[in-house]
Amino acid sequence: MPASKPDFDVLIIGGGPAGAAAALTLRKRPDIKVLVVERGDYQQDKVGEALSPGTRELLRYLGVWEAFSGQQQLNIWGNQAAWGSDELHCLDFIFTLHGSGWGLNRRAFEQLLADAVQQQGGELWTQSRVEQLARTEAGWQVQVTDAQGQLRHLTCRYVIDAAGRASPWSLQAGAVRVRYDNLMGLANWLPRADGQQTEAFTLVEACEYGWWYGSPLPDGRLAVSLMSDQGLIQQQRLAKGDAWFALLAGTRHLRRLVSLDGPQPTPRASPAYSARVTPPPDKAPIVAAGDAVASHDPLSASGIPRALATGIQAARAAADALFGDGKLKKAYHDAVAQDFGQYLGNHWRIYQAEQRWPRADFWRFRTAQPQLAPTTLVGRGRAQESLFVPDKVARRLLELAASPQPAHQLLAGLSAEQPDLPVERLLLAMEELLAPA
């Protein structure tokens, strides 16, 4: 008896920019049946409110440029930054090939992409969540709770994981997420200070505990985020409204742009850590896109363009797996890995340029470089905690180093146990915790 036809060729988990770009790319082939499952309803404010000018060609490819250019009217002409000194320095987009960027109405932007998916024949289920994926010979059996709270069962041939930084779906299929830091964003959307005109620039301002980001919005407000490490946020209780606003009031540049009178709402927290997902070891019919495959520090200002680009490429890999020779998936993952390696080098150089707080944990975590020689004999713990690894990993490192051994041997054992931690962080922890034998 022939197998029943799957309900969908491709299930896309997540309807943000990456998922929508994947769906629009797949629907360039009308014979590919696509379902996008999105947890939200496109009504919530989101951080990531500015779009760089180079995104234009991606929007053209997706067929939404005309609609986008008519919708988004606030031009952003560059970035201002107090980084490495108290003074503001400016990078003007006007001198680049593509001209100005845009201050996004993020809700309208994502709704535009979602509408385009449906206009192109893709199905979109909002306020719905995937509950379970189970492998079958033909692809996947899927359980989804829909907007009415009903549990629905469906089948698909392939899955694109576009569910964000913390997505579990690729990991359940055997992928590994290597996480490089614990950066978190705390955001509010604030009115302008009296007399302040809408600036056509985004602003970044470094501080001892991290950095601030402000971006103008089309409605006249400013999206303001504090970027700091999760541990610092918890220790200093920075997620409380009064603490967040007190720190904002202590900034030199950003405080002048916003009104600090009135209510002090609790900032909205969102993960902002850097991470890369290594693909599953087998030929699982799943590929990740956007932050689910590689997430960059928001300082790179590349989140939305990268989401669109990886969504497009993941869709091509999925189509190739279904209708071609399946080689595009490896090429895609190789390209993601190469891009992420370049990003890490740029990331270190940018943070290294800020030297005003060399002893502060936030900056030391991002600028330290391991110096331990591979053949150094290490043992004898000289500390119990490390800035660079969780406490449980520090304890395990001390256990493994109970008897002296070469650093490379100890590193190999610990790395095998902790594949989700970068080797550089393990080396820095060894330097901090252990003494030469």
Side-chain angles (χ1 to χ4, degrees):
M1 181 175 178
S4 60
K5 186 176 181 180
D7 298 303
F8 297 94
D9 293 305
V10 181
L11 166 68
I12 300 172
I13 308 176
L24 289 170
T25 301
L26 289 168
R27 286 301 300 163
K28 289 178 180 291
R29 283 190 56 158
D31 59 322
I32 299 180
K33 193 173 182 182
V34 176
L35 169 64
V36 180
V37 176
E38 164 57 31
R39 292 179 66 96
D41 59 1
Y42 303 107
Q43 297 305 307
Q44 188 178 55
D45 284 324
K46 290 186 178 181
V47 184
E49 310 289 353
L51 195 59
S52 59
T55 315
R56 182 174 309 176
E57 293 309 311
L58 293 171
L59 298 175
R60 288 190 190 279
Y61 173 80
L62 295 172
V64 298
W65 167 248
E66 296 300 329
F68 173 85
S69 59
Q71 177 196 82
Q72 303 287 341
Q73 299 294 321
L74 177 60
N75 289 330
I76 297 291
W77 295 104
N79 300 318
Q80 293 180 326
W83 193 274
S85 76
D86 288 335
E87 301 303 318
L88 282 177
H89 301 276
C90 185
L91 171 64
D92 290 317
F93 291 155
I94 196 171
F95 297 115
T96 67
L97 176 65
H98 300 286
S100 66
W102 300 271
L104 282 184
N105 179 329
R106 180 70 181 267
R107 286 182 295 177
F109 174 64
E110 294 200 2
Q111 186 68 65
L112 181 152
L113 293 174
D115 291 344
V117 169
Q118 293 176 299
Q119 290 163 8
Q120 294 303 314
E123 284 199 39
L124 172 64
W125 295 0
T126 59
Q127 296 180 287
S128 303
R129 65 180 183 272
V130 174
E131 304 288 359
Q132 185 178 32
L133 293 178
R135 284 284 299 275
T136 68
E137 289 186 6
W140 300 93
Q141 288 183 337
V142 187
Q143 294 182 9
V144 179
T145 300
D146 65 17
Q148 288 72 45
Q150 299 296 313
L151 184 63
R152 302 180 60 173
H153 299 263
L154 57 93
T155 57
C156 67
R157 299 172 64 191
Y158 212 91
V159 169
I160 294 179
D161 177 5
R165 275 179 168 86
S167 173
W169 303 113
S170 293
L171 306 190
Q172 289 185 17
V176 175
R177 177 177 292 118
V178 181
R179 183 165 163 170
Y180 287 77
D181 57 60
N182 297 303
L183 192 67
M184 178 173 285
L186 299 174
N188 264 312
W189 289 260
L190 303 178
R192 288 273 176 175
D194 291 342
Q196 286 288 341
Q197 300 298 314
T198 300
E199 295 285 345
F201 292 87
T202 58
L203 189 148
V204 172
E205 184 170 352
C207 57
E208 183 175 1
Y209 41 83
W211 51 275
W212 290 88
Y213 173 74
S215 179
L217 301 176
D219 63 7
R221 295 179 300 164
L222 202 74
V224 179
S225 296
L226 168 62
M227 313 303 298
S228 189
D229 282 328
Q230 184 176 357
L232 287 173
I233 289 171
Q234 293 171 344
Q235 292 167 14
Q236 304 298 323
R237 298 185 176 180
L238 302 182
K240 297 180 65 176
D242 55 351
W244 189 92
F245 276 91
L247 291 177
L248 176 59
T251 60
R252 179 178 179 182
H253 301 286
L254 195 52
R255 67 181 180 187
R256 300 172 183 172
L257 301 181
V258 296
S259 172
L260 297 178
D261 299 328
Q264 297 187 344
T266 299
R268 185 182 302 163
S270 57
Y273 54 80
S274 298
R276 184 174 74 86
V277 170
T278 59
D282 63 359
K283 295 183 178 180
I286 185 171
V287 65
D291 285 341
V293 71
S295 54
H296 294 197
D297 190 310
L299 194 63
S300 67
S302 63
I304 296 175
R306 237 184 339 92
L308 297 174
T310 56
I312 291 168
Q313 297 304 328
R316 290 172 175 169
D320 177 62
L322 294 177
F323 305 106
D325 59 14
K327 294 181 179 179
L328 277 185
K329 183 177 178 180
K330 182 180 184 305
Y332 166 64
H333 281 295
D334 289 346
V336 169
Q338 182 179 15
D339 177 71
F340 195 80
Q342 293 173 348
Y343 154 73
L344 289 177
N346 292 332
H347 179 268
W348 181 82
R349 284 189 289 273
I350 290 170
Y351 275 95
Q352 191 70 26
E354 179 53 85
Q355 292 290 327
R356 286 177 287 173
W357 305 282
R359 296 183 181 275
D361 284 351
F362 179 88
W363 298 98
R364 190 163 64 91
F365 183 93
R366 287 161 175 78
T367 57
Q369 290 287 290
Q371 305 295 324
L372 188 65
T375 56
T376 301
L377 202 63
V378 294
R380 295 189 301 112
R382 59 184 175 189
Q384 298 299 311
E385 297 179 348
S386 171
L387 174 66
F388 302 101
V389 295
D391 288 347
K392 66 177 182 179
V393 178
R395 291 193 295 269
R396 180 57 178 156
L397 175 57
L398 292 170
E399 291 174 3
L400 292 174
S403 58
Q405 55 190 293
H408 69 85
Q409 181 177 322
L410 180 58
L411 177 64
L414 188 61
S415 183
E417 293 183 10
Q418 305 291 334
D420 57 338
L421 286 176
V423 169
E424 295 82 0
R425 282 179 60 186
L426 297 178
L427 280 169
L428 289 165
M430 289 169 62
E431 292 180 353
E432 196 168 38
L433 295 173
L434 305 178

